[in-house]
Amino acid sequence: MAKKQKIRKRAEACLYDLINRQKQKCSRQKRLLERSIDPSEDVWIQSKMEEAKYRFLLREARQLKKRTKE
């Protein structure tokens, strides 16, 4: 049982680290768009993709939290 908990803790730590990195990327991208005079469509698409990745990771963390409580 202890081995499973260690593995789960490591996976959670990795997930939280990914979430933090993705949040930084997302905020960096938003600041770039705010400062741009005329951003291209590719930049907008990239920004939306980064935001979608961040939301996905948050959803995964919520589901993981629900599973560990049960």
Side-chain angles (χ1 to χ4, degrees):
M1 202 61 151
K3 189 172 184 176
K4 282 186 180 182
Q5 288 175 345
K6 285 181 184 179
I7 293 171
R8 185 174 290 133
K9 291 283 184 185
R10 242 185 272 139
E12 285 177 11
C14 182
L15 179 62
Y16 295 142
D17 185 49
L18 277 172
I19 289 171
N20 287 330
R21 281 191 271 147
Q22 192 62 36
K23 182 179 180 180
Q24 290 173 354
K25 280 184 186 179
C26 196
S27 64
R28 224 178 300 133
Q29 196 76 19
K30 282 183 182 181
R31 283 193 311 262
L32 181 72
L33 282 174
E34 289 172 358
R35 293 179 184 169
S36 295
I37 295 170
D38 188 23
S40 68
E41 192 171 322
D42 292 339
V43 174
W44 279 103
I45 291 170
Q46 185 67 29
S47 175
K48 293 295 180 182
M49 284 175 37
E50 295 297 331
E51 190 174 337
K53 288 177 190 177
Y54 177 62
R55 288 183 181 186
F56 173 78
L57 289 172
L58 286 177
R59 209 171 321 131
E60 285 295 312
R62 283 188 208 114
Q63 288 177 358
L64 181 65
K65 188 175 180 181
K66 283 181 184 178
R67 279 185 259 149
T68 56
K69 282 186 177 181
E70 292 176 354

